[in-house]
Amino acid sequence: MKKLINWPKITNNLNDYLLFLVALTAIWGAVVYYLYALNWLGIILSLVLIIGSFIAFLHFFKKGGAVEEKIIKNEIQTLNHLSLLSQKNKILLTAYGLFCLFIVIQLFFSQSDRAIVSPWQIINPSFFGFYSLASLLLVLILIKQNFSDNLKIILVSLHYLISLSIAVIVYKIGYGFDPFIHQATMKLISAEGLVPPKTPYYLGEYGLIVIVHQISGISINFLNKIIVPGLTALFLPTAFFRFLKKENINAPLTVLFLLILTFSPFILTTPQNLSYLFLILTVLASFTYSRLIIVWVLALATAAVHPLTGLPALTFVIWLTFEKYQKKVKLTLQKMIRSIIFISMSVALPLALLLAGGGQWPKINNYLNLLLSPLKTLLANPGMVGQEDWLSNFIYFLANNYNLFLIITIGVVLFFYYRQPKNDSPQDKILKRSLILISLALLFSYLLSSQIVFNNLVAYEQADYANRLPIIISIFLLPFLMAGLNQIIIKIRQQKNLIQIIWLFLGISLLSISLYLSYPRWDKYYNSRGYSVSADDLAAVKLINQNSPNPYIVLANQQVSAAALQELGFNHYYQTSLGPVYFYPIPTGGPLYQYYLNMVYKSPSQENMIGALNLSGTDSGYLIINKYWYQSDRIINEAKVMASKWWAINDRVYVFEYRR
């Protein structure tokens, strides 16, 4: 591969040490857990493997004791650079820092443990004004020659961190549902060493967080919140910059405005989201690292975290490895191998979802529908919006047509890529051709995966797995988008000042709109519907656990079930005729959740509760109703009559007890 950035040169950057250690920790943590366990002996074994492989790589690339000296030297140079800045530039830098500090303080003052749909419900609207001004100050810093590239990327990373950490700060208990499940699992792994039955997925994240928790003492709760936002802010701006650095001096500016693409996957820590991060790093590393072994390590880390993203990552590096050594294979065999890799990528994910996800492939009578149905889903109802204020109309015009705009942009970028003369090296041409072919194979995978029906998922979750594939395709095409955005910024920077100011205003506005759209929303156009876990939910879980010493079950919504996982963990299963059943309704496609739906949508009657009690073999059952639930007043009034006992928690959560 083209030696754009050689390993000896990049190792004097602490960012590379950390990235490689994180990737190795995810890989070896997953391997040790799957083959043994992550008890104290497993942690020691993992650390030996991590440190040993890291040292082996340093030795392999002929590193010596001078590496640390180079790092210190660079840090001293950065400090010297700051001291040599002019008074005007120091004021500009200080102003940006103060705006960032004020934004963070404002977020901490907005913290809430109430059940909320969106952080924007409780954050003062002035936040967007300060965010826009901070973005403007950062742009002014990035366009100046006086600031070093290292300092610019550090500031861009800070901007990324603030943009990605709003949910981490505002949601005091936690945001989302899946993180609570993974958090409870990791706590059990930390305490017991393993959670049976072992599965070959999610282990990279589990190993990474459990190992860091065990050696640092940092709580799993905090790590589970910050890992994805923190690692994204730490690694992505640097990776973006290195890819664009060869182009021109506008690279830091392009890195900042990449936030316009929106970043909702990186505000929340889940294995899927962490795997997206590793996949982006894998793709970009193929352009910026001269040795494929580095790309292999990042691809293996991706696979260790989540197979849905890991399979494409591994296929990509297998393709690159073949391209590197293809001359050793006969020409006819080359074509055969390429075809095998392409077909394997097209069918591997649908087959994996069928086998691992418990799905089935319905009989297809209309092949046209096979093609059109997922494409319609991908476009997500593009069109105009209603008659609200101009700002809301503009925001949701962009939101409703986001997928369409992205598809058109990718199409235009690819068109110009093929039409315009290219200065790419032969290696870069191979890389870009590989990205396009992998993306095409994934498109076929998406069309096939969209037809799978999963037996254990409710209707509105059926498309969840398939809908992740367009994100993966976008990641493989990200280098083209980055190059296209970079070219736009180059053209803008060549225009007259007035034109640049107009574009700057539009760019800052799009950054703020992207921030708004990347988080859950509740406004005149959109209701995200997913309430957060609240302190009242935790209080309800504790109340039931304290007042019912006998085995019991609880029928509640998804967020209360998440509260139960955080408070009580996973050690509460009943063996039933349908298999092991957790005593709160998890998952939403499970049997207890159906009983909960019967209680809230039909009647909170003794008969409906008895069905759940019969399934679990218990004599005590509880129904929890949150006031925000649809028709909660009716359900609460009926349950007061039919239940044997009830409690109200702050008039926001009601608990009803049923007994045989």
Side-chain angles (χ1 to χ4, degrees):
M1 311 304 291
K2 184 178 180 181
K3 295 187 178 181
L4 299 173
I5 299 179
N6 288 319
W7 181 256
K9 294 181 181 179
I10 63 168
T11 48
N12 56 13
N13 187 333
L14 187 59
N15 187 280
D16 295 280
Y17 278 126
L18 292 174
L19 173 58
F20 211 48
L21 283 172
V22 168
L24 289 173
T25 303
I27 294 168
W28 287 120
V31 170
V32 170
Y33 176 79
Y34 192 70
L35 296 180
Y36 174 56
L38 282 179
N39 52 22
W40 66 269
L41 182 59
I43 296 292
I44 293 174
L45 178 59
S46 298
L47 291 174
V48 169
L49 291 169
I50 293 164
I51 296 171
S53 56
F54 182 71
I55 293 173
F57 271 106
L58 291 181
H59 178 74
F60 177 72
F61 290 109
K62 298 180 180 180
K63 300 293 156 299
V67 172
E68 287 75 16
E69 182 181 342
K70 290 178 181 178
I71 294 174
I72 295 171
K73 184 178 179 181
N74 274 2
E75 290 175 350
I76 293 173
Q77 288 175 343
T78 301
L79 292 173
N80 289 338
H81 169 73
L82 288 174
S83 65
L84 294 174
L85 288 174
S86 67
Q87 190 68 24
K88 183 178 179 181
N89 287 332
K90 286 181 180 179
I91 291 173
L92 184 61
L93 193 61
T94 303
Y96 174 71
L98 289 175
F99 269 100
C100 289
L101 179 62
F102 187 83
I103 288 170
V104 172
I105 291 173
Q106 191 174 16
L107 289 175
F108 273 102
F109 274 108
S110 300
Q111 273 190 326
S112 174
D113 60 6
R114 299 278 296 271
I116 57 174
V117 173
S118 167
W120 311 130
Q121 291 176 258
I122 53 179
I123 297 175
N124 193 292
S126 64
F127 170 86
F128 289 98
F130 289 106
Y131 181 83
S132 297
L133 289 173
S135 301
L136 175 61
L137 290 171
L138 182 55
V139 170
L140 296 178
I141 292 172
L142 297 181
I143 63 177
K144 284 182 172 290
Q145 301 295 320
N146 312 75
F147 297 95
S148 68
D149 285 342
N150 285 340
L151 178 59
K152 289 178 180 179
I153 292 304
I154 289 172
L155 296 178
V156 172
S157 293
L158 174 61
H159 213 73
Y160 269 61
L161 183 61
I162 292 172
S163 303
L164 297 170
S165 299
I166 293 173
V168 173
I169 298 173
V170 172
Y171 290 86
K172 199 169 185 178
I173 296 174
Y175 163 60
F177 175 72
D178 289 351
F180 288 92
I181 296 178
H182 298 302
Q183 179 177 287
T185 304
M186 288 183 284
K187 285 182 177 179
L188 195 54
I189 292 173
S190 181
E192 305 293 337
L194 57 87
V195 176
K198 291 180 180 179
T199 56
Y201 39 83
Y202 309 157
L203 304 186
E205 180 180 304
Y206 293 173
L208 175 62
I209 291 180
V210 170
I211 290 172
V212 173
H213 162 69
Q214 293 285 18
I215 64 177
S216 69
I218 301 173
S219 72
I220 288 177
N221 286 20
F222 177 75
L223 289 171
N224 191 49
K225 289 181 179 180
I226 199 62
I227 280 289
V228 166
L231 294 184
T232 301
L234 179 63
F235 296 135
L236 267 198
T238 301
F240 288 156
F241 174 73
R242 284 176 175 162
F243 175 81
L244 294 165
K245 180 67 163 59
K246 57 183 179 179
E247 301 286 344
N248 57 77
I249 60 174
N250 293 302
L253 201 58
T254 304
V255 174
L256 172 64
F257 283 109
L258 280 169
L259 285 173
I260 290 174
L261 294 176
T262 71
F263 42 84
S264 54
F266 304 115
I267 67 174
L268 177 69
T269 298
T270 65
Q272 183 67 77
N273 293 345
L274 182 59
S275 72
Y276 289 149
L277 172 61
F278 275 120
L279 180 60
I280 295 175
L281 295 171
T282 301
V283 171
L284 296 180
S286 67
F287 287 89
T288 56
Y289 290 93
S290 60
R291 299 180 185 270
L292 269 177
I293 187 65
I294 307 299
V295 188
W296 267 102
V297 169
L298 293 172
L300 287 170
T302 308
V305 173
H306 203 295
L308 190 66
T309 319
L311 283 173
L314 292 175
T315 304
F316 176 60
V317 291
I318 289 171
W319 187 291
L320 294 184
T321 304
F322 168 72
E323 292 288 354
K324 184 175 182 178
Y325 299 104
Q326 62 175 318
K327 293 182 180 179
K328 298 181 180 181
V329 181
K330 293 181 179 180
L331 184 61
T332 54
L333 195 56
Q334 290 179 23
K335 295 180 180 179
M336 184 182 298
I337 293 174
R338 286 194 184 93
S339 299
I340 290 172
I341 296 175
F342 183 85
I343 294 171
S344 298
M345 185 67 267
S346 300
V347 301
L349 289 177
L351 289 176
L353 290 175
L354 275 173
L355 295 174
Q360 58 182 333
W361 213 316
K363 184 178 180 181
I364 300 173
N365 297 318
N366 187 343
Y367 290 94
L368 182 61
N369 186 61
L370 170 66
L371 296 174
L372 294 182
S373 179
L375 294 179
K376 290 178 181 177
T377 302
L378 189 60
L379 290 176
N381 301 317
M384 301 299 290
V385 290
Q387 300 298 318
E388 298 297 337
D389 60 276
W390 69 270
L391 182 58
S392 297
N393 290 339
F394 179 64
I395 290 173
Y396 278 95
F397 172 72
L398 296 177
N400 292 349
N401 295 278
Y402 178 83
N403 289 341
L404 181 60
F405 289 148
L406 185 61
I407 291 170
I408 292 174
T409 303
I410 290 173
V412 170
V413 168
L414 292 177
F415 174 79
F416 279 102
Y417 170 74
Y418 279 104
R419 286 292 301 271
Q420 298 297 322
K422 295 173 282 295
N423 299 320
D424 293 335
S425 67
Q427 291 82 3
D428 279 0
K429 289 179 181 178
I430 291 173
L431 282 169
K432 291 181 178 179
R433 185 168 65 246
S434 301
L435 292 174
I436 293 172
L437 290 171
I438 291 292
S439 300
L440 186 59
L442 286 170
L443 179 60
F444 287 128
S445 286
Y446 171 64
L447 296 176
L448 294 173
S449 300
S450 299
Q451 310 305 312
I452 300 174
V453 177
F454 297 97
N455 300 323
N456 60 343
L457 292 180
V458 294
Y460 55 83
E461 294 179 350
Q462 284 291 326
D464 278 4
Y465 290 115
N467 287 343
R468 298 173 189 180
L469 292 180
I471 299 176
I472 297 173
I473 294 172
S474 299
I475 290 173
F476 277 107
L477 295 175
L478 184 60
F480 298 98
L481 285 170
M482 292 170 62
L485 178 61
N486 198 59
Q487 288 300 314
I488 291 173
I489 290 177
I490 291 172
K491 296 294 184 183
I492 292 173
R493 295 284 291 136
Q494 295 171 350
Q495 304 301 311
K496 295 179 180 179
N497 288 341
L498 179 60
I499 302 298
Q500 290 192 48
I501 291 171
I502 293 172
W503 277 104
L504 175 60
F505 177 78
L506 178 61
I508 298 297
S509 300
L510 290 176
L511 280 176
S512 296
I513 290 172
S514 172
L515 181 75
Y516 179 76
L517 295 177
S518 294
Y519 287 88
R521 307 178 301 282
W522 189 10
D523 53 36
K524 295 177 181 179
Y525 278 118
Y526 193 82
N527 182 357
S528 296
R529 298 186 182 276
Y531 281 85
S532 61
V533 175
S534 68
D536 299 319
D537 296 330
L538 291 172
V541 170
K542 293 176 183 177
L543 184 148
I544 293 173
N545 198 53
Q546 293 168 356
N547 285 275
S548 183
N550 300 318
Y552 63 90
I553 59 168
V554 180
L555 303 183
N557 69 25
Q558 188 172 247
Q559 298 313 115
V560 177
S561 298
L565 282 174
Q566 174 157 310
E567 189 65 29
L568 304 175
F570 262 127
N571 290 330
H572 298 82
Y573 274 88
Y574 296 114
Q575 295 299 324
T576 73
S577 58
L578 300 177
V581 171
Y582 189 65
F583 73 146
Y584 276 74
I586 297 176
T588 52
L592 279 191
Y593 193 72
Q594 186 56 54
Y595 283 111
Y596 170 71
L597 294 180
N598 290 340
M599 294 287 279
V600 295
Y601 288 129
K602 293 181 180 179
S603 171
S605 63
Q606 181 79 9
E607 291 74 20
N608 282 330
M609 179 61 77
I610 288 295
L613 296 178
N614 289 337
L615 173 69
S616 60
T618 58
D619 294 325
S620 299
Y622 294 84
L623 172 67
I624 298 179
I625 300 296
N626 297 74
K627 284 285 284 186
Y628 57 70
W629 195 265
Y630 176 68
Q631 291 190 342
S632 61
D633 289 337
R634 174 191 63 80
I635 301 168
I636 290 169
N637 289 332
E638 291 180 10
K640 285 179 180 179
V641 176
M642 299 179 182
S644 59
K645 190 183 297 184
W646 63 273
W647 299 264
I649 300 174
N650 297 323
D651 195 34
R652 291 190 289 265
V653 176
Y654 284 76
V655 179
F656 301 93
E657 181 183 52
Y658 294 77
R659 293 186 179 274
R660 287 185 186 274

